Amino acid sequence: MLPNYHVVQPLAQALSAAANLPALLLPQMVTLNDWAQSVPLDAPVVTDSQRSALLYQQLRKQKWFESADLWSMTQELLALFDELTHSFNTLPRDAEAFAAAVQQAYLARQNTALQLEARLVFELWHAMQSGDELDAARAYQQRLAKLAQQADKPLYVLRASDWDVLEQRFLDEYAKRVPVEVFDLREMAALSPSPSPTSWRGEQHSPLPFTGEGLGERVSRLRFFAATSLEQEARAAAMQVRRWLAAGKHDIAIVAQDRVVARRMRALLERAQVLVADETGWTFDTLSVSTVLDRWLTALQSDFYHHDLLDLLKSPFIFADMTASERKAAVYQLEQLLRKQGVVAGLEKFIALAEHETALHQPLARLRQAAMLLEQGRKRTLAEWLEALRESLRVLGIDTGLQRDEAGAQLLLALDVWRHELEADEGRYRFAEWRRWLAQQLGTQTYRDSSIDSPVRFTHLAATRWRVFDAVLLLGCDADHLPSVADGGRWFNDAVRGVLNLSTRSTYAARQRDDLLSLLALNDCALVTWQKDRNGEKGLLSPYLEMLRDLHILAHGDDLSECELHAYLAAEEGHKVDLPQAVQPAPSVATEAVPASVSISAYNSLVACPYQFYARHILRLNELDEVQEGIEKRDYGERVHDILCRFHERYPQVSGHPADELDAALRQISEEVFADLLQQEFAARAWLARWFAALPAYLEWQAENEAQGWRYAEAESAFDWELEGVRLRGRIDRLDVNGQEKRVLDYKTQSEQVLRNKLREPGEDVQLACYAYAHEAADAAFVSIENKKVKLVEPKQDVPLLAQLNAERLVQVMDSIRGGTGMPANGIDQACMHCEMRGVCRKGEWVSV
């Protein structure tokens, strides 16, 4: 009986060598679990998914834990039930014997003072075991009982840690019929390198582990690397693996205690063309194939919130029956549409929005069809939900994408297996309940990639029992990860487990200690890594390894630190190709790349910083518009512009109209313009109230403006002015006339002082000057509408002259750019503060040249 099948080959080789015969018929070699599974049973076994559904329904019905996550509680309770089943002092051989054992255990605890949680666990376990159905724990128990009853061959056991209660009972029963000899690795490593079996006497003993000289010699060959960060630990581990490979080592084990570091280390090794086999595997809930399920269900549950929808559509698994170019083009087109139109959520809104975008019709129609299959309004059985999910994946082409991936194919198979197992379950669940169940199920299934054959392998501590490697890397061995705290419950702690006479965390910790010391006893070459600094706090080495290191320091004055690895990492850093140092950029542009047309905002960008203009309007690196979920001041300003345009189309002149009539008309128009925002968000009422507060001031200002002879002429008029070598385009908010004079106005929902600061330096803000030039106006001004005040803010300079100079400057600058003049990043700090191109010009990292 072996701890794992990795031991088979070296054990067979050792037996052949000891026999010294040309041929040898080897004994049967098997793990206890596989041996038990070979025993047939008369009754079918209830699956864990069926038990989980049944227990969940009972917990939901009783309403004992209304605010708890019942699915995770169910999973933990089932694990406790299995341990209670395995804790019997006997091995029940059939249903009758099992019922008697359950009743005996129940009567024994009836008069015991149990705390509420322990009593709850025990009563639920007793109720769950009342039927004749076999669960996995009972089936395993009965199989072991039959094995022990049928014992007719001597049994040799390779042992590395203490037995659990069930294993001990099995060996007790087996030893009553035939000899059982145990090779305890802990005793063997402490006493002698030559294995000597001990006869099975039925007692459970725990010798002081590994105090012999053999281990002391191996500890002296152990090395420790204390990293200062996760990245350094991963780099050091990857470097050490590469050193071992270069030294000719062909069987390297990476015992990963910290899976986050392991992920980063694996990426570094793959970058160095070193593939890693993985014996541990990853649960499905951590894999990308499950991410597409989560994205699909999240989008469905959020009514296709735009971020969720775009995340789903960018998955490589969806619409896998379309070509990659078609899928990417459709996603890009939809994203541009959503960002431009600002629609936040709602599949039907997206479909209406894409009415004229034929490339989007089929994808959106398929989303609608799939969403109808998973209608959330009614309860269904788990099997019905899974059937609807599978059908929706087919409609979306996700099943096609998953079938092309090994992990994806296993995921689809798991969904089908669960659906088949739960066909008889009649419990009905809401969408949210089913989704939590599915997330939990994905966390219970493990995917292992068997396609990689590599001398480097990830494994876990328990899988190293009785194994010898060329080199061992113990990764992430800080006190938080070794001993692992994964064992032990979220809902029922050690106190509850102790009252029920079940294993506690100390039991699991002792098992990990034995596995660790067994590994060190059998392997000469090992490196331990951990982070001595973690998130600004001091990290501690695992107490097991700390004791070994401290003993070595006391005995030899050496802390076993790995020094060479630091030197190799430093050398690697020195050989890296340095990124070019950042200098102030001033690129020149080919003549054909210079824009032939410039907007007012682009001209302002050119004046503020030529490099900003280069990045935005020549390289076209503009950020994508964000879909606005809340109302911003920009939205408020746009609505004010629209309101005033409509108002003055109806009332070009306010003089001669009653004030009440004007106020009522302006309020009516305002409510019409704000209507869509009021439906979307309650906060729109605050913006509307803010505008209403400014209405009297605006009407008063307009009346004064007309008293001075100015009359409203037009609004929102576009222009495209031909200059020498460049066209200037824009749109003017409003044009007023006074006889033959013209004045351009630009509404601003900013304070008077902010606008005056804009106009302080002539030519710095080109907006008014360009508007005046386009309409040959003698005057130009901002209209400040803020804080219940309306003020006219005019430039101090001569407007026609300012307009002419601005036009001439634009012509000269564009001509210089066509001539090869550089476009330096010379914006002032105020311009750079909110500039999205700062990461491109790298201002703040420049060096002098």
mmCIF file with all atom_site columns, all heavy atoms in Angstrom, residues 647-648 654 658-664 666 694-705 790:
data_model
loop_
_atom_site.group_PDB
_atom_site.id
_atom_site.type_symbol
_atom_site.label_atom_id
_atom_site.label_alt_id
_atom_site.label_comp_id
_atom_site.label_asym_id
_atom_site.label_entity_id
_atom_site.label_seq_id
_atom_site.pdbx_PDB_ins_code
_atom_site.Cartn_x
_atom_site.Cartn_y
_atom_site.Cartn_z
_atom_site.occupancy
_atom_site.B_iso_or_equiv
_atom_site.pdbx_formal_charge
_atom_site.auth_seq_id
_atom_site.auth_comp_id
_atom_site.auth_asym_id
_atom_site.auth_atom_id
_atom_site.pdbx_PDB_model_num
ATOM 1   N N   . PHE A 1 647 ? -34.857 78.382 -26.644 1.00 0.00 ? 647 PHE A N   1
ATOM 2   C CA  . PHE A 1 647 ? -35.579 79.536 -26.101 1.00 0.00 ? 647 PHE A CA  1
ATOM 3   C C   . PHE A 1 647 ? -35.497 80.730 -27.054 1.00 0.00 ? 647 PHE A C   1
ATOM 4   O O   . PHE A 1 647 ? -36.505 81.396 -27.338 1.00 0.00 ? 647 PHE A O   1
ATOM 5   C CB  . PHE A 1 647 ? -35.001 79.894 -24.727 1.00 0.00 ? 647 PHE A CB  1
ATOM 6   C CG  . PHE A 1 647 ? -35.590 81.141 -24.135 1.00 0.00 ? 647 PHE A CG  1
ATOM 7   C CD1 . PHE A 1 647 ? -36.880 81.148 -23.612 1.00 0.00 ? 647 PHE A CD1 1
ATOM 8   C CD2 . PHE A 1 647 ? -34.872 82.328 -24.111 1.00 0.00 ? 647 PHE A CD2 1
ATOM 9   C CE1 . PHE A 1 647 ? -37.428 82.307 -23.063 1.00 0.00 ? 647 PHE A CE1 1
ATOM 10  C CE2 . PHE A 1 647 ? -35.402 83.484 -23.560 1.00 0.00 ? 647 PHE A CE2 1
ATOM 11  C CZ  . PHE A 1 647 ? -36.686 83.468 -23.037 1.00 0.00 ? 647 PHE A CZ  1
ATOM 12  N N   . HIS A 1 648 ? -34.296 80.979 -27.573 1.00 0.00 ? 648 HIS A N   1
ATOM 13  C CA  . HIS A 1 648 ? -34.137 82.168 -28.421 1.00 0.00 ? 648 HIS A CA  1
ATOM 14  C C   . HIS A 1 648 ? -34.677 81.944 -29.821 1.00 0.00 ? 648 HIS A C   1
ATOM 15  O O   . HIS A 1 648 ? -34.946 82.933 -30.529 1.00 0.00 ? 648 HIS A O   1
ATOM 16  C CB  . HIS A 1 648 ? -32.662 82.594 -28.463 1.00 0.00 ? 648 HIS A CB  1
ATOM 17  C CG  . HIS A 1 648 ? -32.220 83.256 -27.194 1.00 0.00 ? 648 HIS A CG  1
ATOM 18  N ND1 . HIS A 1 648 ? -32.736 84.453 -26.773 1.00 0.00 ? 648 HIS A ND1 1
ATOM 19  C CD2 . HIS A 1 648 ? -31.317 82.870 -26.245 1.00 0.00 ? 648 HIS A CD2 1
ATOM 20  C CE1 . HIS A 1 648 ? -32.166 84.808 -25.616 1.00 0.00 ? 648 HIS A CE1 1
ATOM 21  N NE2 . HIS A 1 648 ? -31.306 83.846 -25.270 1.00 0.00 ? 648 HIS A NE2 1
ATOM 22  N N   . VAL A 1 654 ? -36.638 89.343 -26.052 1.00 0.00 ? 654 VAL A N   1
ATOM 23  C CA  . VAL A 1 654 ? -37.456 89.192 -24.853 1.00 0.00 ? 654 VAL A CA  1
ATOM 24  C C   . VAL A 1 654 ? -38.201 90.480 -24.523 1.00 0.00 ? 654 VAL A C   1
ATOM 25  O O   . VAL A 1 654 ? -39.195 90.460 -23.790 1.00 0.00 ? 654 VAL A O   1
ATOM 26  C CB  . VAL A 1 654 ? -36.587 88.745 -23.648 1.00 0.00 ? 654 VAL A CB  1
ATOM 27  C CG1 . VAL A 1 654 ? -35.921 87.417 -23.926 1.00 0.00 ? 654 VAL A CG1 1
ATOM 28  C CG2 . VAL A 1 654 ? -35.565 89.817 -23.275 1.00 0.00 ? 654 VAL A CG2 1
ATOM 29  N N   . PRO A 1 658 ? -44.129 89.632 -21.284 1.00 0.00 ? 658 PRO A N   1
ATOM 30  C CA  . PRO A 1 658 ? -44.203 89.639 -19.819 1.00 0.00 ? 658 PRO A CA  1
ATOM 31  C C   . PRO A 1 658 ? -43.152 88.707 -19.208 1.00 0.00 ? 658 PRO A C   1
ATOM 32  O O   . PRO A 1 658 ? -42.834 87.642 -19.746 1.00 0.00 ? 658 PRO A O   1
ATOM 33  C CB  . PRO A 1 658 ? -45.621 89.140 -19.523 1.00 0.00 ? 658 PRO A CB  1
ATOM 34  C CG  . PRO A 1 658 ? -46.381 89.334 -20.794 1.00 0.00 ? 658 PRO A CG  1
ATOM 35  C CD  . PRO A 1 658 ? -45.397 89.206 -21.896 1.00 0.00 ? 658 PRO A CD  1
ATOM 36  N N   . ALA A 1 659 ? -42.627 89.118 -18.062 1.00 0.00 ? 659 ALA A N   1
ATOM 37  C CA  . ALA A 1 659 ? -41.586 88.333 -17.389 1.00 0.00 ? 659 ALA A CA  1
ATOM 38  C C   . ALA A 1 659 ? -42.100 86.946 -17.009 1.00 0.00 ? 659 ALA A C   1
ATOM 39  O O   . ALA A 1 659 ? -41.360 85.951 -17.104 1.00 0.00 ? 659 ALA A O   1
ATOM 40  C CB  . ALA A 1 659 ? -41.094 89.080 -16.151 1.00 0.00 ? 659 ALA A CB  1
ATOM 41  N N   . ASP A 1 660 ? -43.377 86.860 -16.579 1.00 0.00 ? 660 ASP A N   1
ATOM 42  C CA  . ASP A 1 660 ? -43.938 85.563 -16.195 1.00 0.00 ? 660 ASP A CA  1
ATOM 43  C C   . ASP A 1 660 ? -43.985 84.608 -17.386 1.00 0.00 ? 660 ASP A C   1
ATOM 44  O O   . ASP A 1 660 ? -43.721 83.400 -17.255 1.00 0.00 ? 660 ASP A O   1
ATOM 45  C CB  . ASP A 1 660 ? -45.347 85.741 -15.632 1.00 0.00 ? 660 ASP A CB  1
ATOM 46  C CG  . ASP A 1 660 ? -45.341 86.468 -14.291 1.00 0.00 ? 660 ASP A CG  1
ATOM 47  O OD1 . ASP A 1 660 ? -44.239 86.571 -13.699 1.00 0.00 ? 660 ASP A OD1 1
ATOM 48  O OD2 . ASP A 1 660 ? -46.417 86.910 -13.854 1.00 0.00 ? 660 ASP A OD2 1
ATOM 49  N N   . GLU A 1 661 ? -44.333 85.149 -18.536 1.00 0.00 ? 661 GLU A N   1
ATOM 50  C CA  . GLU A 1 661 ? -44.407 84.317 -19.741 1.00 0.00 ? 661 GLU A CA  1
ATOM 51  C C   . GLU A 1 661 ? -43.026 83.777 -20.115 1.00 0.00 ? 661 GLU A C   1
ATOM 52  O O   . GLU A 1 661 ? -42.863 82.589 -20.437 1.00 0.00 ? 661 GLU A O   1
ATOM 53  C CB  . GLU A 1 661 ? -44.961 85.144 -20.902 1.00 0.00 ? 661 GLU A CB  1
ATOM 54  C CG  . GLU A 1 661 ? -45.013 84.372 -22.222 1.00 0.00 ? 661 GLU A CG  1
ATOM 55  C CD  . GLU A 1 661 ? -45.388 85.286 -23.392 1.00 0.00 ? 661 GLU A CD  1
ATOM 56  O OE1 . GLU A 1 661 ? -45.922 86.379 -23.145 1.00 0.00 ? 661 GLU A OE1 1
ATOM 57  O OE2 . GLU A 1 661 ? -45.130 84.879 -24.542 1.00 0.00 ? 661 GLU A OE2 1
ATOM 58  N N   . LEU A 1 662 ? -42.016 84.655 -20.064 1.00 0.00 ? 662 LEU A N   1
ATOM 59  C CA  . LEU A 1 662 ? -40.656 84.230 -20.403 1.00 0.00 ? 662 LEU A CA  1
ATOM 60  C C   . LEU A 1 662 ? -40.139 83.174 -19.430 1.00 0.00 ? 662 LEU A C   1
ATOM 61  O O   . LEU A 1 662 ? -39.537 82.180 -19.833 1.00 0.00 ? 662 LEU A O   1
ATOM 62  C CB  . LEU A 1 662 ? -39.716 85.444 -20.415 1.00 0.00 ? 662 LEU A CB  1
ATOM 63  C CG  . LEU A 1 662 ? -40.021 86.509 -21.469 1.00 0.00 ? 662 LEU A CG  1
ATOM 64  C CD1 . LEU A 1 662 ? -39.167 87.747 -21.240 1.00 0.00 ? 662 LEU A CD1 1
ATOM 65  C CD2 . LEU A 1 662 ? -39.779 85.942 -22.874 1.00 0.00 ? 662 LEU A CD2 1
ATOM 66  N N   . ASP A 1 663 ? -40.401 83.415 -18.148 1.00 0.00 ? 663 ASP A N   1
ATOM 67  C CA  . ASP A 1 663 ? -39.932 82.475 -17.128 1.00 0.00 ? 663 ASP A CA  1
ATOM 68  C C   . ASP A 1 663 ? -40.602 81.107 -17.298 1.00 0.00 ? 663 ASP A C   1
ATOM 69  O O   . ASP A 1 663 ? -39.938 80.063 -17.230 1.00 0.00 ? 663 ASP A O   1
ATOM 70  C CB  . ASP A 1 663 ? -40.228 83.036 -15.744 1.00 0.00 ? 663 ASP A CB  1
ATOM 71  C CG  . ASP A 1 663 ? -39.689 82.146 -14.633 1.00 0.00 ? 663 ASP A CG  1
ATOM 72  O OD1 . ASP A 1 663 ? -38.466 82.205 -14.375 1.00 0.00 ? 663 ASP A OD1 1
ATOM 73  O OD2 . ASP A 1 663 ? -40.470 81.368 -14.039 1.00 0.00 ? 663 ASP A OD2 1
ATOM 74  N N   . ALA A 1 664 ? -41.921 81.129 -17.568 1.00 0.00 ? 664 ALA A N   1
ATOM 75  C CA  . ALA A 1 664 ? -42.646 79.871 -17.744 1.00 0.00 ? 664 ALA A CA  1
ATOM 76  C C   . ALA A 1 664 ? -42.149 79.121 -18.977 1.00 0.00 ? 664 ALA A C   1
ATOM 77  O O   . ALA A 1 664 ? -41.973 77.887 -18.964 1.00 0.00 ? 664 ALA A O   1
ATOM 78  C CB  . ALA A 1 664 ? -44.141 80.141 -17.845 1.00 0.00 ? 664 ALA A CB  1
ATOM 79  N N   . LEU A 1 666 ? -39.205 79.363 -20.426 1.00 0.00 ? 666 LEU A N   1
ATOM 80  C CA  . LEU A 1 666 ? -37.840 78.881 -20.201 1.00 0.00 ? 666 LEU A CA  1
ATOM 81  C C   . LEU A 1 666 ? -37.838 77.644 -19.299 1.00 0.00 ? 666 LEU A C   1
ATOM 82  O O   . LEU A 1 666 ? -37.085 76.688 -19.523 1.00 0.00 ? 666 LEU A O   1
ATOM 83  C CB  . LEU A 1 666 ? -37.000 80.004 -19.584 1.00 0.00 ? 666 LEU A CB  1
ATOM 84  C CG  . LEU A 1 666 ? -35.473 79.861 -19.640 1.00 0.00 ? 666 LEU A CG  1
ATOM 85  C CD1 . LEU A 1 666 ? -34.995 79.477 -21.030 1.00 0.00 ? 666 LEU A CD1 1
ATOM 86  C CD2 . LEU A 1 666 ? -34.801 81.159 -19.189 1.00 0.00 ? 666 LEU A CD2 1
ATOM 87  N N   . ALA A 1 694 ? -30.712 80.124 -11.853 1.00 0.00 ? 694 ALA A N   1
ATOM 88  C CA  . ALA A 1 694 ? -30.043 81.141 -12.672 1.00 0.00 ? 694 ALA A CA  1
ATOM 89  C C   . ALA A 1 694 ? -30.985 81.812 -13.662 1.00 0.00 ? 694 ALA A C   1
ATOM 90  O O   . ALA A 1 694 ? -30.591 82.792 -14.326 1.00 0.00 ? 694 ALA A O   1
ATOM 91  C CB  . ALA A 1 694 ? -28.879 80.499 -13.428 1.00 0.00 ? 694 ALA A CB  1
ATOM 92  N N   . LEU A 1 695 ? -32.242 81.356 -13.775 1.00 0.00 ? 695 LEU A N   1
ATOM 93  C CA  . LEU A 1 695 ? -33.147 81.891 -14.798 1.00 0.00 ? 695 LEU A CA  1
ATOM 94  C C   . LEU A 1 695 ? -33.432 83.386 -14.632 1.00 0.00 ? 695 LEU A C   1
ATOM 95  O O   . LEU A 1 695 ? -33.368 84.136 -15.625 1.00 0.00 ? 695 LEU A O   1
ATOM 96  C CB  . LEU A 1 695 ? -34.462 81.102 -14.802 1.00 0.00 ? 695 LEU A CB  1
ATOM 97  C CG  . LEU A 1 695 ? -34.380 79.625 -15.214 1.00 0.00 ? 695 LEU A CG  1
ATOM 98  C CD1 . LEU A 1 695 ? -35.787 79.064 -15.386 1.00 0.00 ? 695 LEU A CD1 1
ATOM 99  C CD2 . LEU A 1 695 ? -33.585 79.451 -16.486 1.00 0.00 ? 695 LEU A CD2 1
ATOM 100 N N   . PRO A 1 696 ? -33.772 83.862 -13.432 1.00 0.00 ? 696 PRO A N   1
ATOM 101 C CA  . PRO A 1 696 ? -34.042 85.309 -13.324 1.00 0.00 ? 696 PRO A CA  1
ATOM 102 C C   . PRO A 1 696 ? -32.856 86.159 -13.742 1.00 0.00 ? 696 PRO A C   1
ATOM 103 O O   . PRO A 1 696 ? -33.022 87.177 -14.428 1.00 0.00 ? 696 PRO A O   1
ATOM 104 C CB  . PRO A 1 696 ? -34.360 85.484 -11.824 1.00 0.00 ? 696 PRO A CB  1
ATOM 105 C CG  . PRO A 1 696 ? -34.816 84.127 -11.373 1.00 0.00 ? 696 PRO A CG  1
ATOM 106 C CD  . PRO A 1 696 ? -34.012 83.152 -12.164 1.00 0.00 ? 696 PRO A CD  1
ATOM 107 N N   . ALA A 1 697 ? -31.640 85.732 -13.341 1.00 0.00 ? 697 ALA A N   1
ATOM 108 C CA  . ALA A 1 697 ? -30.454 86.510 -13.688 1.00 0.00 ? 697 ALA A CA  1
ATOM 109 C C   . ALA A 1 697 ? -30.240 86.518 -15.202 1.00 0.00 ? 697 ALA A C   1
ATOM 110 O O   . ALA A 1 697 ? -29.827 87.542 -15.780 1.00 0.00 ? 697 ALA A O   1
ATOM 111 C CB  . ALA A 1 697 ? -29.233 85.936 -12.978 1.00 0.00 ? 697 ALA A CB  1
ATOM 112 N N   . TYR A 1 698 ? -30.505 85.356 -15.851 1.00 0.00 ? 698 TYR A N   1
ATOM 113 C CA  . TYR A 1 698 ? -30.291 85.311 -17.298 1.00 0.00 ? 698 TYR A CA  1
ATOM 114 C C   . TYR A 1 698 ? -31.290 86.210 -18.034 1.00 0.00 ? 698 TYR A C   1
ATOM 115 O O   . TYR A 1 698 ? -30.922 86.952 -18.952 1.00 0.00 ? 698 TYR A O   1
ATOM 116 C CB  . TYR A 1 698 ? -30.413 83.868 -17.822 1.00 0.00 ? 698 TYR A CB  1
ATOM 117 C CG  . TYR A 1 698 ? -30.192 83.807 -19.319 1.00 0.00 ? 698 TYR A CG  1
ATOM 118 C CD1 . TYR A 1 698 ? -28.914 83.852 -19.841 1.00 0.00 ? 698 TYR A CD1 1
ATOM 119 C CD2 . TYR A 1 698 ? -31.282 83.789 -20.202 1.00 0.00 ? 698 TYR A CD2 1
ATOM 120 C CE1 . TYR A 1 698 ? -28.711 83.858 -21.212 1.00 0.00 ? 698 TYR A CE1 1
ATOM 121 C CE2 . TYR A 1 698 ? -31.085 83.790 -21.570 1.00 0.00 ? 698 TYR A CE2 1
ATOM 122 C CZ  . TYR A 1 698 ? -29.791 83.817 -22.071 1.00 0.00 ? 698 TYR A CZ  1
ATOM 123 O OH  . TYR A 1 698 ? -29.585 83.843 -23.425 1.00 0.00 ? 698 TYR A OH  1
ATOM 124 N N   . LEU A 1 699 ? -32.542 86.141 -17.647 1.00 0.00 ? 699 LEU A N   1
ATOM 125 C CA  . LEU A 1 699 ? -33.536 86.990 -18.316 1.00 0.00 ? 699 LEU A CA  1
ATOM 126 C C   . LEU A 1 699 ? -33.238 88.467 -18.098 1.00 0.00 ? 699 LEU A C   1
ATOM 127 O O   . LEU A 1 699 ? -33.434 89.297 -19.010 1.00 0.00 ? 699 LEU A O   1
ATOM 128 C CB  . LEU A 1 699 ? -34.938 86.635 -17.805 1.00 0.00 ? 699 LEU A CB  1
ATOM 129 C CG  . LEU A 1 699 ? -35.466 85.241 -18.211 1.00 0.00 ? 699 LEU A CG  1
ATOM 130 C CD1 . LEU A 1 699 ? -36.780 84.945 -17.513 1.00 0.00 ? 699 LEU A CD1 1
ATOM 131 C CD2 . LEU A 1 699 ? -35.618 85.156 -19.733 1.00 0.00 ? 699 LEU A CD2 1
ATOM 132 N N   . GLU A 1 700 ? -32.758 88.798 -16.916 1.00 0.00 ? 700 GLU A N   1
ATOM 133 C CA  . GLU A 1 700 ? -32.398 90.197 -16.633 1.00 0.00 ? 700 GLU A CA  1
ATOM 134 C C   . GLU A 1 700 ? -31.218 90.622 -17.505 1.00 0.00 ? 700 GLU A C   1
ATOM 135 O O   . GLU A 1 700 ? -31.206 91.725 -18.068 1.00 0.00 ? 700 GLU A O   1
ATOM 136 C CB  . GLU A 1 700 ? -32.045 90.332 -15.149 1.00 0.00 ? 700 GLU A CB  1
ATOM 137 C CG  . GLU A 1 700 ? -31.684 91.749 -14.745 1.00 0.00 ? 700 GLU A CG  1
ATOM 138 C CD  . GLU A 1 700 ? -31.321 91.852 -13.268 1.00 0.00 ? 700 GLU A CD  1
ATOM 139 O OE1 . GLU A 1 700 ? -31.570 90.877 -12.519 1.00 0.00 ? 700 GLU A OE1 1
ATOM 140 O OE2 . GLU A 1 700 ? -30.783 92.903 -12.873 1.00 0.00 ? 700 GLU A OE2 1
ATOM 141 N N   . TRP A 1 701 ? -30.207 89.722 -17.616 1.00 0.00 ? 701 TRP A N   1
ATOM 142 C CA  . TRP A 1 701 ? -29.031 90.048 -18.449 1.00 0.00 ? 701 TRP A CA  1
ATOM 143 C C   . TRP A 1 701 ? -29.443 90.197 -19.911 1.00 0.00 ? 701 TRP A C   1
ATOM 144 O O   . TRP A 1 701 ? -28.979 91.116 -20.599 1.00 0.00 ? 701 TRP A O   1
ATOM 145 C CB  . TRP A 1 701 ? -27.986 88.931 -18.317 1.00 0.00 ? 701 TRP A CB  1
ATOM 146 C CG  . TRP A 1 701 ? -26.852 89.104 -19.286 1.00 0.00 ? 701 TRP A CG  1
ATOM 147 C CD1 . TRP A 1 701 ? -25.762 89.886 -19.141 1.00 0.00 ? 701 TRP A CD1 1
ATOM 148 C CD2 . TRP A 1 701 ? -26.749 88.494 -20.588 1.00 0.00 ? 701 TRP A CD2 1
ATOM 149 N NE1 . TRP A 1 701 ? -24.966 89.803 -20.258 1.00 0.00 ? 701 TRP A NE1 1
ATOM 150 C CE2 . TRP A 1 701 ? -25.556 88.960 -21.165 1.00 0.00 ? 701 TRP A CE2 1
ATOM 151 C CE3 . TRP A 1 701 ? -27.561 87.610 -21.313 1.00 0.00 ? 701 TRP A CE3 1
ATOM 152 C CZ2 . TRP A 1 701 ? -25.151 88.563 -22.435 1.00 0.00 ? 701 TRP A CZ2 1
ATOM 153 C CZ3 . TRP A 1 701 ? -27.160 87.220 -22.572 1.00 0.00 ? 701 TRP A CZ3 1
ATOM 154 C CH2 . TRP A 1 701 ? -25.954 87.681 -23.125 1.00 0.00 ? 701 TRP A CH2 1
ATOM 155 N N   . GLN A 1 702 ? -30.318 89.334 -20.402 1.00 0.00 ? 702 GLN A N   1
ATOM 156 C CA  . GLN A 1 702 ? -30.744 89.407 -21.793 1.00 0.00 ? 702 GLN A CA  1
ATOM 157 C C   . GLN A 1 702 ? -31.500 90.718 -22.066 1.00 0.00 ? 702 GLN A C   1
ATOM 158 O O   . GLN A 1 702 ? -31.317 91.336 -23.115 1.00 0.00 ? 702 GLN A O   1
ATOM 159 C CB  . GLN A 1 702 ? -31.631 88.204 -22.136 1.00 0.00 ? 702 GLN A CB  1
ATOM 160 C CG  . GLN A 1 702 ? -32.192 88.200 -23.545 1.00 0.00 ? 702 GLN A CG  1
ATOM 161 C CD  . GLN A 1 702 ? -31.122 88.157 -24.620 1.00 0.00 ? 702 GLN A CD  1
ATOM 162 O OE1 . GLN A 1 702 ? -30.011 87.699 -24.371 1.00 0.00 ? 702 GLN A OE1 1
ATOM 163 N NE2 . GLN A 1 702 ? -31.435 88.665 -25.813 1.00 0.00 ? 702 GLN A NE2 1
ATOM 164 N N   . ALA A 1 703 ? -32.311 91.118 -21.104 1.00 0.00 ? 703 ALA A N   1
ATOM 165 C CA  . ALA A 1 703 ? -33.033 92.386 -21.272 1.00 0.00 ? 703 ALA A CA  1
ATOM 166 C C   . ALA A 1 703 ? -32.060 93.561 -21.332 1.00 0.00 ? 703 ALA A C   1
ATOM 167 O O   . ALA A 1 703 ? -32.214 94.479 -22.162 1.00 0.00 ? 703 ALA A O   1
ATOM 168 C CB  . ALA A 1 703 ? -34.024 92.560 -20.124 1.00 0.00 ? 703 ALA A CB  1
ATOM 169 N N   . GLU A 1 704 ? -31.040 93.555 -20.482 1.00 0.00 ? 704 GLU A N   1
ATOM 170 C CA  . GLU A 1 704 ? -30.033 94.623 -20.502 1.00 0.00 ? 704 GLU A CA  1
ATOM 171 C C   . GLU A 1 704 ? -29.253 94.594 -21.811 1.00 0.00 ? 704 GLU A C   1
ATOM 172 O O   . GLU A 1 704 ? -28.905 95.646 -22.376 1.00 0.00 ? 704 GLU A O   1
ATOM 173 C CB  . GLU A 1 704 ? -29.080 94.459 -19.321 1.00 0.00 ? 704 GLU A CB  1
ATOM 174 C CG  . GLU A 1 704 ? -29.720 94.708 -17.967 1.00 0.00 ? 704 GLU A CG  1
ATOM 175 C CD  . GLU A 1 704 ? -28.747 94.439 -16.819 1.00 0.00 ? 704 GLU A CD  1
ATOM 176 O OE1 . GLU A 1 704 ? -27.595 94.033 -17.116 1.00 0.00 ? 704 GLU A OE1 1
ATOM 177 O OE2 . GLU A 1 704 ? -29.130 94.609 -15.658 1.00 0.00 ? 704 GLU A OE2 1
ATOM 178 N N   . ASN A 1 705 ? -28.973 93.417 -22.295 1.00 0.00 ? 705 ASN A N   1
ATOM 179 C CA  . ASN A 1 705 ? -28.238 93.265 -23.557 1.00 0.00 ? 705 ASN A CA  1
ATOM 180 C C   . ASN A 1 705 ? -29.040 93.883 -24.700 1.00 0.00 ? 705 ASN A C   1
ATOM 181 O O   . ASN A 1 705 ? -28.485 94.579 -25.569 1.00 0.00 ? 705 ASN A O   1
ATOM 182 C CB  . ASN A 1 705 ? -28.003 91.770 -23.804 1.00 0.00 ? 705 ASN A CB  1
ATOM 183 C CG  . ASN A 1 705 ? -27.060 91.505 -24.954 1.00 0.00 ? 705 ASN A CG  1
ATOM 184 O OD1 . ASN A 1 705 ? -25.982 92.065 -25.005 1.00 0.00 ? 705 ASN A OD1 1
ATOM 185 N ND2 . ASN A 1 705 ? -27.462 90.639 -25.874 1.00 0.00 ? 705 ASN A ND2 1
ATOM 186 N N   . VAL A 1 790 ? -25.160 85.982 -13.992 1.00 0.00 ? 790 VAL A N   1
ATOM 187 C CA  . VAL A 1 790 ? -24.850 85.951 -15.420 1.00 0.00 ? 790 VAL A CA  1
ATOM 188 C C   . VAL A 1 790 ? -24.021 87.189 -15.731 1.00 0.00 ? 790 VAL A C   1
ATOM 189 O O   . VAL A 1 790 ? -24.476 88.320 -15.532 1.00 0.00 ? 790 VAL A O   1
ATOM 190 C CB  . VAL A 1 790 ? -26.127 85.927 -16.284 1.00 0.00 ? 790 VAL A CB  1
ATOM 191 C CG1 . VAL A 1 790 ? -25.759 85.940 -17.768 1.00 0.00 ? 790 VAL A CG1 1
ATOM 192 C CG2 . VAL A 1 790 ? -26.967 84.699 -15.967 1.00 0.00 ? 790 VAL A CG2 1
#
